[in-house]
Amino acid sequence: MPPKKPASPAVKKPASKAATTKSPTKKPTTTATASKKPGAAVKKPVAKPEAKPEPKPEAEPVAQGITIALAALTQEVLAKTAAYRETNRWPFVYDVSGNSATFLQYRDCNMIQAMNPDSLSPETIRMALLGGLRYGKPVVVNLGDCDLFDACVKKFDLVQKGLMGDILSKEILKEEKYISLVKESDGSEYDAIRFLSEIENFTFILLSKIGPPESLKKQVFLVEIS
């Protein structure tokens, strides 16, 4: 009988490890931030500009004036206490009768007759104004019974552009304005220093038998003779 083969030893299988499940490790969440580069400028929040308040509209000039008797003309037109002197306007005397013109002719005034072409020559106008400013006298422009104001403006422009506007706004009382009317031929009597003592007494008067035009009402102080 052939000899028996030795039995192969039983191979022990490795004990199976208990199946374990590991929960995945959670990584800490991080908020992504932009990495700052060295030297990078940090932007500051831009401040909103403050809203500027809207400018208030200038008050529109209104008509001003008084009604007086002829006997009060000196007090309300020529006197230093006249009501118009409280405003920044010259008087416009509205007298249907025309008696104010006669009255003023006998006062120490330089009168320009708008209906007389010779009276409206540039040199006559210039000297009438200079005389009034230099010696503190009233300058009266008598418009008569016609609407001649615009025509007078053009005649005054022949002396100096915008002259009537400078008179009505009282810019003419500034030294640089009245001295610009002086010519070398006028002599030393019209040197700038000689105006100082009397210029505050200067008065400019518009005189008419009809009322002032609409364009002029808000630039003058209306003195109506009743």
Side-chain angles (χ1 to χ4, degrees):
M1 275 178 80
K4 291 181 181 180
K5 293 180 180 180
S8 60
V11 180
K12 290 183 179 181
K13 294 181 180 180
S16 61
K17 294 182 179 179
T20 58
T21 57
K22 291 184 178 180
S23 59
T25 305
K26 292 183 179 179
K27 293 182 179 180
T29 57
T30 56
T31 305
T33 56
S35 60
K36 293 182 181 179
K37 295 181 179 179
V42 179
K43 291 185 178 180
K44 295 182 179 180
V46 179
K48 293 182 179 180
E50 294 183 3
K52 294 182 179 180
E54 294 184 1
K56 294 181 180 179
E58 294 184 3
E60 186 178 346
V62 296
Q64 298 181 28
I66 55 175
T67 301
I68 62 171
L70 181 63
L73 190 61
T74 298
Q75 179 180 346
E76 293 300 339
V77 173
L78 302 178
K80 291 185 177 181
T81 56
Y84 81 86
R85 294 187 186 275
E86 299 298 322
T87 71
N88 194 39
R89 305 181 182 189
W90 297 119
F92 185 108
V93 180
Y94 171 32
D95 183 7
V96 177
S97 71
N99 290 331
S100 296
T102 305
F103 176 86
L104 290 171
Q105 277 181 333
Y106 289 95
R107 298 299 183 271
D108 189 16
C109 300
N110 291 348
M111 186 166 289
I112 297 172
Q113 300 287 356
M115 299 185 73
N116 182 350
D118 293 336
S119 189
L120 281 178
S121 71
E123 188 62 11
T124 301
I125 293 171
R126 187 182 75 87
M127 291 309 299
L129 284 172
L130 275 180
L133 291 161
R134 164 66 179 82
Y135 297 103
K137 298 169 60 175
V139 174
V140 182
V141 178
N142 185 9
L143 301 171
D145 56 1
C146 299
D147 185 4
L148 295 174
F149 177 72
D150 289 341
C152 286
V153 171
K154 292 178 181 178
K155 293 294 185 181
F156 276 58
D157 276 348
L158 296 178
V159 179
Q160 191 175 91
K161 188 68 176 176
L163 180 56
M164 183 65 81
D166 286 342
I167 296 170
L168 293 178
S169 66
K170 296 194 176 182
E171 286 289 306
I172 195 66
L173 299 179
K174 295 180 178 180
E175 182 176 327
E176 64 269 20
K177 288 292 183 178
Y178 61 74
I179 286 300
S180 67
L181 297 174
V182 178
K183 295 179 179 179
E184 289 185 10
S185 58
D186 294 330
S188 60
E189 190 64 23
Y190 290 94
D191 287 346
I193 195 171
R194 295 183 179 272
F195 285 79
L196 300 179
S197 61
E198 296 291 347
I199 196 166
E200 65 179 15
N201 296 321
F202 171 77
T203 304
F204 184 76
I205 303 168
L206 290 165
L207 176 64
S208 178
K209 289 184 177 181
I210 61 176
E214 287 297 323
S215 60
L216 195 57
K217 281 183 179 179
K218 296 178 182 179
Q219 300 181 65
V220 296
F221 186 87
L222 183 62
V223 179
E224 185 173 356
I225 306 300
S226 62

